[in-house]
Amino acid sequence: MQQNEVKLSSFKLSLLKLKTKNASKPKPLSSFKDVKRAVIFLGLHLWQRNQTEILNFKAYLKSLGIESTLVFLYPTKDPKTVAEGTPADEIHLILKDFSGYGYPKSEKALKAASLPSELFINLNSVPGYHELALGKLSKAYFKITPYQTIYKNDYSILLKSTPDNLNEYLKQIREFFSHLT
């Protein structure tokens, strides 16, 4: 099944490009075995539908020696929707933490964008400004996302995905890793 390309506002994309133009480039790694930290970005609804699969994937990364941090985006501006006392390996963000064109503006969102990591994985199959901004700002060497033309310049690995089939996407990521280890 072919995934449809989603069009984003060229004005907002221009603002985002301008704001992220000085983002530092990732340092090259000598091999995939140097990857020790990962950031996994996903929307809250994806988590609610696929919590078991995502936790299994996180455990898989841990079996490779990779510690991961989950960064959640809640589809609301209301801070009361975010649970209190979240685990240390999770960051919960709301739309208010970002500008209208996806650039992180709160301290928490800026922290999420600059987490030290060698691997950044976007699990959201629908492209958006937040995914684009975090991909641009991440200092990770390997940046993985579902294929969308808009991500070609900012993500190093684009994999085909079928919307609403996270298992298949995670399987492709595992297969990709198996070629690197």
Side-chain angles (χ1 to χ4, degrees):
M1 183 171 147
Q2 187 80 16
Q3 185 168 339
N4 293 332
E5 289 289 322
V6 175
K7 289 285 188 191
L8 299 176
S9 160
S10 59
F11 176 69
K12 287 183 178 182
L13 289 173
S14 296
L15 287 173
L16 185 57
K17 185 176 182 179
L18 180 66
K19 191 77 172 170
T20 59
K21 72 177 180 182
N22 293 328
S24 61
K25 300 291 181 214
K27 293 178 183 156
L29 300 176
S30 57
S31 81
F32 185 72
K33 290 178 173 67
D34 291 343
V35 174
K36 300 295 177 214
R37 295 168 302 207
V39 173
I40 302 171
F41 180 69
L42 65 151
L44 180 65
H45 295 309
L46 184 66
W47 170 254
Q48 291 169 332
R49 287 189 312 267
N50 302 283
Q51 186 173 355
T52 302
E53 294 87 348
I54 294 165
L55 289 174
N56 288 342
F57 182 72
K58 193 174 173 188
Y60 161 74
L61 290 176
K62 189 167 182 74
S63 75
L64 296 176
I66 301 171
E67 294 296 325
S68 55
T69 301
L70 296 174
V71 177
F72 298 94
L73 179 60
Y74 288 61
T76 180
K77 290 186 177 185
D78 183 4
K80 294 176 188 164
T81 60
V82 179
E84 293 284 328
T86 57
D89 62 348
E90 293 181 6
I91 298 176
H92 295 250
L93 304 171
I94 58 174
L95 297 175
K96 199 174 187 176
D97 291 317
F98 295 87
S99 70
Y101 53 91
Y103 191 82
K105 65 180 187 181
S106 73
E107 187 177 319
K108 208 162 51 163
L110 289 167
K111 175 188 174 192
S114 62
L115 282 172
S117 67
E118 297 81 29
L119 178 62
F120 181 89
I121 302 171
N122 171 30
L123 295 184
N124 297 321
S125 62
V126 176
Y129 301 107
H130 309 96
E131 292 82 351
L132 192 58
L134 292 178
K136 285 178 173 286
L137 294 170
S138 171
K139 292 173 179 46
Y141 183 73
F142 294 104
K143 298 177 189 179
I144 302 172
T145 190
Y147 181 85
Q148 288 286 334
T149 306
I150 196 162
Y151 292 142
K152 282 171 56 174
N153 294 328
D154 303 302
Y155 281 84
S156 51
I157 303 157
L158 287 81
L159 299 172
K160 288 185 181 181
S161 79
T162 306
D164 300 324
N165 192 346
L166 182 65
N167 276 332
E168 185 60 35
Y169 178 56
L170 294 175
K171 182 180 171 189
Q172 287 184 33
I173 294 173
R174 284 183 175 105
E175 287 174 9
F176 181 78
F177 289 170
S178 72
H179 297 292
L180 298 175
T181 54

